[in-house]
C-alpha cells in the first residue's frame, strides 16, 4: 500500500466480472471488458484485482453531496424545477481531453482532500431530511460507481425517492440491465456521431453508447419504462457545425422518436483543450431550429442564459408550457395539458398535487454576510457550509441593492443561479462561526473543487488549470 493515496487503500467487492486462469479477472462493466492481472487495475484505475477477485476502489467515496435542481442535468420533461441531490464520485470510464471535471474524473489527479465518505443510508437519510425527492447520479460519471449506485438507488426507492442517471453511458449491456431495475430517469450525453471523435478525444467508442441508448429506449415501450432525454455537447472546433449536429437529430429520429427531448449544450474550454472559445450561442440557436425543422418536437439549449430556447412550448400552438430562468422553472400546464389548445404534454409531473407555500423570511440580526458577484457567462455557484445550518441568501444588483425575495437553505452544499436579469451577485447571511466557501460553476454539470477566491483570477471562459505544462 506504500505510495497509495488514502482513497486507494480500501476496496469493496465489485459486480459484473468473471474469473480467468492464473488469478486474472475480466471486468464486464464497460465495453472495454478489461482483463486484469492480480494486483493491477483496469483502464479506469478504479477496479482492481485483489487475490483473484475484482474490487472497486470508490465505493461510498464521493465529492460532497450538493442540492441542485433537475434542469442542471439536462432534464426538462420531468418535474420541472424539482430539487435534486447531486452525487458525484471519483474516476470515469472515459478519458475526455476536454473534461470539465477532470480533477475528480481522472484517477491520477484525485486528491484525498476532494473525497468524502458516505454510506447508502447517509445519502438517503440526508435527502429525506431536506425533503429532496430525487437522487441524481452525475458529475464525473456514475458508471464507475456502479456498486454504490445500485445499493443506494435500491434503498432510495424503498423510501419513495426517484433516481436520475446523468451519464456519457460508456457501459455494457449487463450494467444497463441492472440500472433499469432502479433508475427512473436517464439523461444521456451523446458527444458525437463520429466514432473517430470518441476514439481520439475520449478513449472510447461510439457504437456501445448508441446501443445503450437504444436499450434504455426499448425499456420504455409499454409505458412503464424510465424517462429519457439526450444531450449533445457541441465542442468548439470539433463538432460545432450544422452537419455534425444534424447527425445527432437524424439518428434520434431514425432510432428513437421525435418526442424524446434533445439538448444542444454549450461547451467551455477545459482540461487539455483550452485554446478555443466557448461554443457560440447563435450557432446553438441555429442548430435547435434545424433539428425542429427536421422533425424533432422538443429541442433545448444547455448552458445558455438569456434565451427563450430553454423554455418548453406546445409544438402545436406554441403556447408557453414551462418558463425557465436559472434554477427557477414556472409551469403553466393545466392538469398536465396545454393551457391554450388542451394538448396532453409529455412533461411528467409526478408530484403535481403538491403545492409549495410562499414563505417570507427574516434575516437573523446577528448573522454576518458574504458576497459573491457573477462574472460574464459564469452565472451560478455552489455554496458550501462548514456545518449543516440554515442560512439566508438574497440576490443583489451591481450596486448591492436587493433583487427579489430572501431565500434560505440548510444543506451543506447547494447551488444558486442567476434567475433575474437585474441580479449580478448573491449576498449570503450566516453565523460568523459557520464559515462559507463559494465555488464558481462554469457549466451546469461542472463540479468545482477550487474556491471562487482563486478562480476569480482566471478567465470567465477557462477555469484555472493546475496541470503541469509538460502534460498539456
Amino acid at each position: 500500500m506504500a505510495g497509495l493515496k488514502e482513497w486507494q487503500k480500501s476496496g469493496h467487492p465489485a459486480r459484473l466480472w468473471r474469473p480467468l486462469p492464473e488469478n486474472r479477472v475480466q471486468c464486464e462493466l464497460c465495453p472495454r471488458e478489461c482483463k486484469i492481472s492480480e494486483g493491477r487495475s483496469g483502464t479506469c484505475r478504479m477496479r482492481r484485482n485483489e487475490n483473484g477477485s475484482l474490487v472497486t476502489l470508490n465505493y461510498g467515496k464521493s465529492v460532497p453531496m450538493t442540492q441542485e435542481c433537475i434542469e442542471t442535468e439536462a432534464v426538462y420533461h420531468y418535474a420541472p424545477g424539482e430539487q435534486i441531490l447531486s452525487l458525484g464520485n471519483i474516476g470515469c470510464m472515459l478519458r475526455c481531453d476536454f473534461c470539465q471535471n477532470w480533477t475528480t474524473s481522472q484517477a491520477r489527479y484525485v486528491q484525498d482532500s476532494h473525497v468524502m465518505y458516505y454510506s447508502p443510508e447517509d445519502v438517503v437519510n440526508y435527502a429525506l431530511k431536506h425533503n429532496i425527492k430525487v437522487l441524481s447520479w452525475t458529475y464525473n460519471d456514475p458508471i464507475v460507481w456502479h456498486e454504490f449506485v445500485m445499493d443506494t438507488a435500491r434503498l432510495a426507492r424503498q423510501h419513495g425517492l426517484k433516481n436520475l442517471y446523468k451519464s456519457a453511458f460508456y457501459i455494457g449491456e449487463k450494467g444497463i440491465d441492472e440500472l433499469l431495475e432502479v433508475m427512473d430517469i436517464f439523461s444521456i450525453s451523446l458527444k458525437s456521431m463520429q466514432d473517430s471523435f470518441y476514439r481520439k478525444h475520449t478513449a472510447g467508442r461510439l457504437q456501445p453508447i448508441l446501443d445503450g441508448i437504444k436499450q434504455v429506449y426499448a425499456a420504455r415501450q409499454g409505458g412503464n419504462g424510465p424517462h429519457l432525454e439526450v444531450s449533445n455537447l457541441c465542442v468548439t472546433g470539433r463538432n460545432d457545425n450544422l452537419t455534425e449536429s444534424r447527425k445527432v437529430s437524424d439518428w434520434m429520429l431514425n432510432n428513437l422518436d421525435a418526442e424524446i427531448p434533445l439538448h444542444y449544450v454549450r461547451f467551455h474550454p477545459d482540461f487539455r483543450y483550452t485554446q478555443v472559445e466557448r461554443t457560440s450561442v447563435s450557432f446553438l440557436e441555429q442548430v435547435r431550429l434545424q433539428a425542429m425543422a427536421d422533425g424533432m418536437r422538443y429541442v433545448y439549449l444547455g448552458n445558455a442564459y438569456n434565451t427563450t430556447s430553454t423554455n418548453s412550448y406546445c409544438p402545436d400552438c406554441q403556447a408557453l408550457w414551462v418558463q425557465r430562468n436559472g434554477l427557477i422553472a414556472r409551469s403553466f400546464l393545466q392538469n398536465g395539458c396545454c393551457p391554450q389548445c388542451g394538448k396532453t404534454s409529455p412533461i411528467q409531473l409526478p408530484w403535481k398535487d403538491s403545492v409549495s407555500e410562499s414563505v417570507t423570511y427574516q434575516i437573523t440580526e446577528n448573522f454576518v454576510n458574504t458576497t459573491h458577484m457573477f462574472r460574464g457567462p459564469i452565472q451560478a455557484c455552489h455554496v458550501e457550509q462548514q456545518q449543516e445550518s440554515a442560512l439566508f441568501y438574497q440576490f443583489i444588483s451591481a450596486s448591492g441593492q436587493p433583487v427579489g425575495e430572501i431565500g434560505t437553505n440548510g444543506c451543506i452544499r447547494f447551488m444558486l443561479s442567476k434567475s433575474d436579469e437585474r441580479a449580478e451577485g448573491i449576498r449570503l447571511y450566516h453565523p460568523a462561526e459557520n464559515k462559507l466557501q463559494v465555488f464558481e460553476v462554469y457549466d451546469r454539470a461542472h463540479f468545482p473543487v477550487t474556491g471562487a477566491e482563486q478562480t476569480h483570477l482566471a478567465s470567465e471562459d477557462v477555469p484555472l488549470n493546475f496541470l503541469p505544462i509538460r502534460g498539456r
Side-chain angles (χ1 to χ4, degrees), residues 177-222:
D177 281 339
E178 292 195 348
L179 290 174
L180 288 170
E181 299 173 9
V182 296
M183 291 297 152
D184 303 281
I185 310 156
F186 284 87
S187 178
I188 300 176
S189 175
L190 176 57
K191 299 182 187 298
S192 171
M193 286 300 299
Q194 297 289 342
D195 185 63
S196 58
F197 178 103
Y198 272 92
R199 290 180 183 273
K200 182 176 181 179
H201 301 301
T202 77
R205 293 181 291 118
L206 170 63
Q207 194 58 49
I209 295 163
L210 299 181
D211 293 342
I213 295 173
K214 289 193 288 186
Q215 188 176 342
V216 172
Y217 179 73
R220 293 163 45 88
Q221 305 312 303

Short mmCIF file of all heavy atoms in Angstrom, two decimals, residues 177-222:
data_model
loop_
_atom_site.label_atom_id
_atom_site.label_comp_id
_atom_site.label_asym_id
_atom_site.label_seq_id
_atom_site.Cartn_x
_atom_site.Cartn_y
_atom_site.Cartn_z
N ASP A 177 -28.86 -3.36 -17.86
CA ASP A 177 -29.97 -4.18 -17.36
C ASP A 177 -30.15 -3.97 -15.85
O ASP A 177 -31.29 -3.88 -15.36
CB ASP A 177 -29.69 -5.66 -17.64
CG ASP A 177 -29.99 -6.05 -19.08
OD1 ASP A 177 -30.75 -5.33 -19.74
OD2 ASP A 177 -29.45 -7.08 -19.54
N GLU A 178 -29.05 -3.89 -15.11
CA GLU A 178 -29.16 -3.67 -13.67
C GLU A 178 -29.70 -2.27 -13.37
O GLU A 178 -30.55 -2.09 -12.49
CB GLU A 178 -27.81 -3.89 -13.00
CG GLU A 178 -27.35 -5.34 -13.03
CD GLU A 178 -26.22 -5.62 -12.06
OE1 GLU A 178 -25.62 -4.66 -11.53
OE2 GLU A 178 -25.92 -6.81 -11.82
N LEU A 179 -29.22 -1.28 -14.10
CA LEU A 179 -29.69 0.09 -13.87
C LEU A 179 -31.19 0.22 -14.14
O LEU A 179 -31.89 0.97 -13.44
CB LEU A 179 -28.92 1.07 -14.76
CG LEU A 179 -27.46 1.30 -14.42
CD1 LEU A 179 -26.80 2.18 -15.47
CD2 LEU A 179 -27.30 1.93 -13.04
N LEU A 180 -31.67 -0.49 -15.13
CA LEU A 180 -33.09 -0.39 -15.47
C LEU A 180 -33.99 -0.89 -14.34
O LEU A 180 -35.19 -0.59 -14.31
CB LEU A 180 -33.38 -1.18 -16.75
CG LEU A 180 -32.83 -0.53 -18.05
CD1 LEU A 180 -32.95 -1.50 -19.22
CD2 LEU A 180 -33.56 0.78 -18.34
N GLU A 181 -33.42 -1.62 -13.40
CA GLU A 181 -34.19 -2.08 -12.25
C GLU A 181 -34.45 -0.96 -11.24
O GLU A 181 -35.39 -1.03 -10.45
CB GLU A 181 -33.45 -3.21 -11.53
CG GLU A 181 -33.21 -4.45 -12.39
CD GLU A 181 -32.31 -5.46 -11.67
OE1 GLU A 181 -32.03 -5.24 -10.46
OE2 GLU A 181 -31.88 -6.44 -12.30
N VAL A 182 -33.60 0.08 -11.25
CA VAL A 182 -33.68 1.08 -10.17
C VAL A 182 -33.78 2.52 -10.64
O VAL A 182 -34.07 3.41 -9.84
CB VAL A 182 -32.46 0.95 -9.23
CG1 VAL A 182 -32.46 -0.39 -8.53
CG2 VAL A 182 -31.15 1.16 -9.98
N MET A 183 -33.52 2.80 -11.92
CA MET A 183 -33.49 4.19 -12.40
C MET A 183 -34.85 4.62 -12.95
O MET A 183 -35.49 3.88 -13.69
CB MET A 183 -32.42 4.39 -13.47
CG MET A 183 -31.02 4.28 -12.92
SD MET A 183 -30.67 5.58 -11.70
CE MET A 183 -29.43 4.74 -10.68
N ASP A 184 -35.23 5.84 -12.61
CA ASP A 184 -36.48 6.41 -13.10
C ASP A 184 -36.26 7.37 -14.27
O ASP A 184 -37.17 7.59 -15.08
CB ASP A 184 -37.17 7.18 -11.96
CG ASP A 184 -37.43 6.30 -10.76
OD1 ASP A 184 -38.41 5.53 -10.80
OD2 ASP A 184 -36.66 6.37 -9.78
N ILE A 185 -35.06 7.96 -14.33
CA ILE A 185 -34.77 8.98 -15.33
C ILE A 185 -33.35 8.75 -15.86
O ILE A 185 -32.42 8.57 -15.08
CB ILE A 185 -34.83 10.40 -14.71
CG1 ILE A 185 -36.13 10.62 -13.92
CG2 ILE A 185 -34.65 11.48 -15.76
CD1 ILE A 185 -36.03 11.67 -12.85
N PHE A 186 -33.21 8.79 -17.18
CA PHE A 186 -31.89 8.74 -17.81
C PHE A 186 -31.69 10.02 -18.61
O PHE A 186 -32.52 10.39 -19.43
CB PHE A 186 -31.76 7.55 -18.75
CG PHE A 186 -31.57 6.23 -18.07
CD1 PHE A 186 -32.68 5.48 -17.66
CD2 PHE A 186 -30.30 5.71 -17.83
CE1 PHE A 186 -32.52 4.25 -17.04
CE2 PHE A 186 -30.13 4.49 -17.21
CZ PHE A 186 -31.24 3.75 -16.81
N SER A 187 -30.56 10.69 -18.36
CA SER A 187 -30.13 11.83 -19.17
C SER A 187 -28.77 11.45 -19.74
O SER A 187 -27.78 11.41 -19.02
CB SER A 187 -30.04 13.10 -18.32
OG SER A 187 -29.57 14.19 -19.09
N ILE A 188 -28.74 11.17 -21.03
CA ILE A 188 -27.55 10.58 -21.66
C ILE A 188 -26.88 11.59 -22.58
O ILE A 188 -27.54 12.20 -23.43
CB ILE A 188 -27.91 9.30 -22.42
CG1 ILE A 188 -28.52 8.27 -21.44
CG2 ILE A 188 -26.69 8.71 -23.10
CD1 ILE A 188 -29.00 6.99 -22.09
N SER A 189 -25.58 11.72 -22.40
CA SER A 189 -24.78 12.64 -23.23
C SER A 189 -24.19 11.89 -24.41
O SER A 189 -23.32 11.04 -24.23
CB SER A 189 -23.68 13.28 -22.38
OG SER A 189 -22.83 14.07 -23.18
N LEU A 190 -24.68 12.21 -25.60
CA LEU A 190 -24.14 11.65 -26.84
C LEU A 190 -23.20 12.71 -27.41
O LEU A 190 -23.64 13.71 -27.96
CB LEU A 190 -25.29 11.34 -27.80
CG LEU A 190 -24.93 10.83 -29.20
CD1 LEU A 190 -24.08 9.57 -29.12
CD2 LEU A 190 -26.22 10.56 -29.99
N LYS A 191 -21.91 12.49 -27.27
CA LYS A 191 -20.94 13.55 -27.55
C LYS A 191 -20.73 13.80 -29.03
O LYS A 191 -20.39 14.92 -29.44
CB LYS A 191 -19.61 13.23 -26.87
CG LYS A 191 -19.74 13.12 -25.35
CD LYS A 191 -18.41 12.86 -24.68
CE LYS A 191 -18.59 12.59 -23.19
NZ LYS A 191 -19.16 13.72 -22.46
N SER A 192 -20.88 12.80 -29.86
CA SER A 192 -20.65 12.95 -31.29
C SER A 192 -21.22 11.73 -32.00
O SER A 192 -21.36 10.65 -31.40
CB SER A 192 -19.15 13.06 -31.58
OG SER A 192 -18.88 13.01 -32.96
N MET A 193 -21.52 11.88 -33.28
CA MET A 193 -21.92 10.73 -34.09
C MET A 193 -20.74 10.18 -34.89
O MET A 193 -20.91 9.38 -35.80
CB MET A 193 -23.05 11.13 -35.04
CG MET A 193 -24.39 11.30 -34.34
SD MET A 193 -24.97 9.80 -33.51
CE MET A 193 -25.11 8.66 -34.88
N GLN A 194 -19.53 10.62 -34.54
CA GLN A 194 -18.32 10.15 -35.21
C GLN A 194 -17.54 9.22 -34.28
O GLN A 194 -17.12 9.63 -33.20
CB GLN A 194 -17.44 11.33 -35.62
CG GLN A 194 -18.07 12.27 -36.62
CD GLN A 194 -18.18 11.65 -38.01
OE1 GLN A 194 -17.50 10.66 -38.32
NE2 GLN A 194 -19.03 12.22 -38.84
N ASP A 195 -17.33 7.98 -34.71
CA ASP A 195 -16.53 7.07 -33.90
C ASP A 195 -15.10 7.60 -33.74
O ASP A 195 -14.49 7.43 -32.68
CB ASP A 195 -16.48 5.68 -34.55
CG ASP A 195 -15.76 4.66 -33.68
OD1 ASP A 195 -16.24 4.38 -32.56
OD2 ASP A 195 -14.70 4.17 -34.11
N SER A 196 -14.59 8.27 -34.75
CA SER A 196 -13.24 8.83 -34.68
C SER A 196 -13.14 9.88 -33.57
O SER A 196 -12.09 10.02 -32.94
CB SER A 196 -12.84 9.44 -36.02
OG SER A 196 -13.77 10.45 -36.42
N PHE A 197 -14.21 10.64 -33.34
CA PHE A 197 -14.24 11.62 -32.25
C PHE A 197 -14.05 10.91 -30.92
O PHE A 197 -13.23 11.30 -30.09
CB PHE A 197 -15.57 12.38 -32.29
CG PHE A 197 -15.74 13.40 -31.18
CD1 PHE A 197 -15.57 14.75 -31.43
CD2 PHE A 197 -16.09 13.01 -29.89
CE1 PHE A 197 -15.74 15.70 -30.42
CE2 PHE A 197 -16.25 13.93 -28.87
CZ PHE A 197 -16.08 15.29 -29.14
N TYR A 198 -14.82 9.85 -30.72
CA TYR A 198 -14.73 9.10 -29.45
C TYR A 198 -13.34 8.50 -29.26
O TYR A 198 -12.75 8.60 -28.18
CB TYR A 198 -15.80 8.02 -29.40
CG TYR A 198 -17.11 8.51 -28.84
CD1 TYR A 198 -18.10 9.00 -29.68
CD2 TYR A 198 -17.34 8.53 -27.48
CE1 TYR A 198 -19.32 9.47 -29.16
CE2 TYR A 198 -18.55 8.99 -26.95
CZ TYR A 198 -19.52 9.47 -27.80
OH TYR A 198 -20.71 9.94 -27.29
N ARG A 199 -12.81 7.88 -30.28
CA ARG A 199 -11.52 7.21 -30.15
C ARG A 199 -10.39 8.21 -29.88
O ARG A 199 -9.51 7.96 -29.04
CB ARG A 199 -11.22 6.40 -31.41
CG ARG A 199 -12.11 5.17 -31.55
CD ARG A 199 -11.78 4.40 -32.83
NE ARG A 199 -12.67 3.27 -33.01
CZ ARG A 199 -12.49 2.05 -32.49
NH1 ARG A 199 -11.44 1.80 -31.74
NH2 ARG A 199 -13.37 1.08 -32.73
N LYS A 200 -10.43 9.35 -30.57
CA LYS A 200 -9.35 10.33 -30.44
C LYS A 200 -9.45 11.16 -29.18
O LYS A 200 -8.43 11.44 -28.52
CB LYS A 200 -9.35 11.25 -31.66
CG LYS A 200 -8.23 12.28 -31.65
CD LYS A 200 -8.23 13.11 -32.93
CE LYS A 200 -7.09 14.13 -32.94
NZ LYS A 200 -7.07 14.92 -34.20
N HIS A 201 -10.66 11.56 -28.79
CA HIS A 201 -10.82 12.55 -27.73
C HIS A 201 -11.35 12.00 -26.42
O HIS A 201 -11.32 12.68 -25.40
CB HIS A 201 -11.74 13.68 -28.21
CG HIS A 201 -11.26 14.39 -29.42
ND1 HIS A 201 -10.03 15.02 -29.46
CD2 HIS A 201 -11.82 14.56 -30.65
CE1 HIS A 201 -9.87 15.57 -30.66
NE2 HIS A 201 -10.92 15.29 -31.40
N THR A 202 -11.85 10.75 -26.39
CA THR A 202 -12.43 10.20 -25.16
C THR A 202 -11.85 8.84 -24.79
O THR A 202 -12.16 8.35 -23.70
CB THR A 202 -13.96 10.04 -25.28
OG1 THR A 202 -14.27 8.89 -26.07
CG2 THR A 202 -14.61 11.27 -25.91
N ALA A 203 -11.06 8.24 -25.66
CA ALA A 203 -10.54 6.88 -25.46
C ALA A 203 -11.67 5.86 -25.38
O ALA A 203 -11.54 4.81 -24.74
CB ALA A 203 -9.66 6.80 -24.22
N GLY A 204 -12.79 6.17 -26.02
CA GLY A 204 -13.92 5.25 -26.07
C GLY A 204 -14.34 4.99 -27.50
O GLY A 204 -13.64 5.33 -28.45
N ARG A 205 -15.51 4.35 -27.65
CA ARG A 205 -16.07 4.06 -28.97
C ARG A 205 -17.52 4.51 -29.02
O ARG A 205 -18.20 4.57 -27.99
CB ARG A 205 -15.97 2.57 -29.28
CG ARG A 205 -14.55 2.07 -29.44
CD ARG A 205 -14.49 0.58 -29.77
NE ARG A 205 -14.90 -0.25 -28.64
CZ ARG A 205 -15.94 -1.07 -28.63
NH1 ARG A 205 -16.72 -1.17 -29.71
NH2 ARG A 205 -16.23 -1.80 -27.57
N LEU A 206 -18.00 4.81 -30.19
CA LEU A 206 -19.36 5.33 -30.36
C LEU A 206 -20.43 4.25 -30.25
O LEU A 206 -21.43 4.42 -29.55
CB LEU A 206 -19.48 6.04 -31.71
CG LEU A 206 -20.90 6.43 -32.15
CD1 LEU A 206 -21.51 7.44 -31.20
CD2 LEU A 206 -20.88 6.99 -33.58
N GLN A 207 -20.25 3.11 -30.91
CA GLN A 207 -21.34 2.15 -31.06
C GLN A 207 -21.91 1.66 -29.72
O GLN A 207 -23.15 1.55 -29.59
CB GLN A 207 -20.89 0.95 -31.90
CG GLN A 207 -22.06 0.08 -32.38
CD GLN A 207 -23.07 0.86 -33.21
OE1 GLN A 207 -22.71 1.57 -34.14
NE2 GLN A 207 -24.35 0.75 -32.86
N PRO A 208 -21.08 1.35 -28.72
CA PRO A 208 -21.68 0.91 -27.45
C PRO A 208 -22.61 1.95 -26.84
O PRO A 208 -23.59 1.59 -26.17
CB PRO A 208 -20.45 0.67 -26.56
CG PRO A 208 -19.34 0.40 -27.50
CD PRO A 208 -19.60 1.27 -28.68
N ILE A 209 -22.34 3.22 -27.06
CA ILE A 209 -23.19 4.27 -26.50
C ILE A 209 -24.52 4.31 -27.24
O ILE A 209 -25.59 4.40 -26.63
CB ILE A 209 -22.46 5.62 -26.55
CG1 ILE A 209 -21.23 5.57 -25.64
CG2 ILE A 209 -23.39 6.76 -26.14
CD1 ILE A 209 -20.22 6.65 -25.88
N LEU A 210 -24.48 4.22 -28.55
CA LEU A 210 -25.72 4.17 -29.33
C LEU A 210 -26.54 2.96 -28.95
O LEU A 210 -27.77 3.05 -28.78
CB LEU A 210 -25.40 4.14 -30.83
CG LEU A 210 -24.63 5.34 -31.40
CD1 LEU A 210 -24.41 5.15 -32.90
CD2 LEU A 210 -25.35 6.65 -31.13
N ASP A 211 -25.89 1.81 -28.80
CA ASP A 211 -26.60 0.59 -28.40
C ASP A 211 -27.22 0.76 -27.02
O ASP A 211 -28.35 0.29 -26.76
CB ASP A 211 -25.65 -0.60 -28.39
CG ASP A 211 -25.16 -0.99 -29.78
OD1 ASP A 211 -25.80 -0.57 -30.77
OD2 ASP A 211 -24.14 -1.69 -29.87
N GLY A 212 -26.49 1.42 -26.11
CA GLY A 212 -27.01 1.63 -24.76
C GLY A 212 -28.23 2.53 -24.73
O GLY A 212 -29.20 2.26 -24.00
N ILE A 213 -28.21 3.59 -25.53
CA ILE A 213 -29.37 4.48 -25.59
C ILE A 213 -30.59 3.72 -26.11
O ILE A 213 -31.70 3.84 -25.58
CB ILE A 213 -29.07 5.70 -26.48
CG1 ILE A 213 -27.96 6.55 -25.86
CG2 ILE A 213 -30.33 6.55 -26.67
CD1 ILE A 213 -27.48 7.69 -26.76
N LYS A 214 -30.37 2.90 -27.15
CA LYS A 214 -31.49 2.13 -27.69
C LYS A 214 -32.01 1.11 -26.67
O LYS A 214 -33.22 0.82 -26.63
CB LYS A 214 -31.06 1.43 -28.99
CG LYS A 214 -30.86 2.40 -30.14
CD LYS A 214 -30.75 1.71 -31.49
CE LYS A 214 -29.45 0.98 -31.66
NZ LYS A 214 -29.30 0.42 -33.05
N GLN A 215 -31.11 0.58 -25.85
CA GLN A 215 -31.53 -0.38 -24.82
C GLN A 215 -32.44 0.30 -23.79
O GLN A 215 -33.46 -0.26 -23.37
CB GLN A 215 -30.30 -0.97 -24.13
CG GLN A 215 -30.60 -2.12 -23.19
CD GLN A 215 -29.32 -2.73 -22.61
OE1 GLN A 215 -28.22 -2.53 -23.15
NE2 GLN A 215 -29.44 -3.46 -21.52
N VAL A 216 -32.09 1.52 -23.39
CA VAL A 216 -32.95 2.27 -22.46
C VAL A 216 -34.27 2.62 -23.13
O VAL A 216 -35.35 2.49 -22.54
CB VAL A 216 -32.23 3.55 -21.98
CG1 VAL A 216 -33.19 4.43 -21.18
CG2 VAL A 216 -31.01 3.20 -21.14
N TYR A 217 -34.20 3.05 -24.38
CA TYR A 217 -35.42 3.41 -25.12
C TYR A 217 -36.36 2.22 -25.25
O TYR A 217 -37.58 2.34 -25.07
CB TYR A 217 -35.05 3.95 -26.50
CG TYR A 217 -36.24 4.35 -27.34
CD1 TYR A 217 -36.96 5.49 -27.05
CD2 TYR A 217 -36.65 3.55 -28.42
CE1 TYR A 217 -38.06 5.85 -27.82
CE2 TYR A 217 -37.74 3.91 -29.19
CZ TYR A 217 -38.45 5.06 -28.90
OH TYR A 217 -39.53 5.41 -29.65
N ALA A 218 -35.79 1.05 -25.53
CA ALA A 218 -36.62 -0.15 -25.67
C ALA A 218 -37.34 -0.48 -24.38
O ALA A 218 -38.47 -1.00 -24.39
CB ALA A 218 -35.75 -1.33 -26.11
N ALA A 219 -36.72 -0.18 -23.24
CA ALA A 219 -37.33 -0.46 -21.94
C ALA A 219 -38.54 0.44 -21.68
O ALA A 219 -39.34 0.16 -20.78
CB ALA A 219 -36.30 -0.29 -20.83
N ARG A 220 -38.67 1.51 -22.46
CA ARG A 220 -39.81 2.43 -22.30
C ARG A 220 -41.06 1.91 -22.98
O ARG A 220 -42.17 2.39 -22.69
CB ARG A 220 -39.46 3.79 -22.91
CG ARG A 220 -38.38 4.56 -22.19
CD ARG A 220 -37.82 5.67 -23.05
NE ARG A 220 -38.82 6.45 -23.73
CZ ARG A 220 -39.42 7.53 -23.22
NH1 ARG A 220 -39.12 7.93 -22.00
NH2 ARG A 220 -40.32 8.19 -23.92
N GLN A 221 -40.91 1.00 -23.88
CA GLN A 221 -42.06 0.53 -24.64
C GLN A 221 -43.07 -0.14 -23.71
O GLN A 221 -42.70 -0.96 -22.88
CB GLN A 221 -41.62 -0.43 -25.74
CG GLN A 221 -40.55 0.14 -26.66
CD GLN A 221 -40.88 1.54 -27.18
OE1 GLN A 221 -41.93 1.74 -27.79
NE2 GLN A 221 -40.01 2.50 -26.91
N GLY A 222 -44.31 0.23 -23.85
CA GLY A 222 -45.35 -0.28 -22.96
C GLY A 222 -45.73 0.74 -21.91
O GLY A 222 -46.70 0.54 -21.17
#
